[in-house]
Amino acid sequence: MNFDPASHPGLNWSVARDSHLDDKVECFAVADTGNGLVALANINDDSAVITGTPGELRKLRDAFAAGQYDHLIGA
């Protein structure tokens, strides 16, 4: 995947395996920043990059898994 936002250059970004929709990648990318943080980016808007600790992202993952945000994602 060719993704290299100017605000976070040189990181090794990865996307979910099921990230393609109609031959277009539509998802978030994640990368280890190398300083204890994880970067999360919208691959369709390279200015939309946030960072958080692994613990913060685990809490977000757990909230999604518990259905806390189902109303936002149409589940």
Side-chain angles (χ1 to χ4, degrees):
M1 179 185 68
N2 185 15
F3 182 69
D4 195 24
S7 63
H8 292 77
L11 298 182
N12 184 19
W13 293 92
S14 63
V15 297
R17 285 184 215 112
D18 296 331
S19 60
H20 291 77
L21 181 64
D22 299 327
D23 284 338
K24 182 178 178 187
V25 178
E26 293 190 5
C27 66
F28 288 96
V30 295
D32 182 345
T33 65
N35 63 357
L37 298 175
V38 177
L40 177 67
N42 181 331
I43 64 162
N44 294 310
D45 180 0
D46 65 7
S47 68
V49 179
I50 62 169
T51 59
T53 66
E56 290 167 332
L57 290 178
R58 278 193 300 273
K59 288 179 182 184
L60 182 61
R61 176 205 60 202
D62 293 347
F64 271 105
Q68 184 174 340
Y69 301 115
D70 282 357
H71 67 287
L72 297 174
I73 60 173

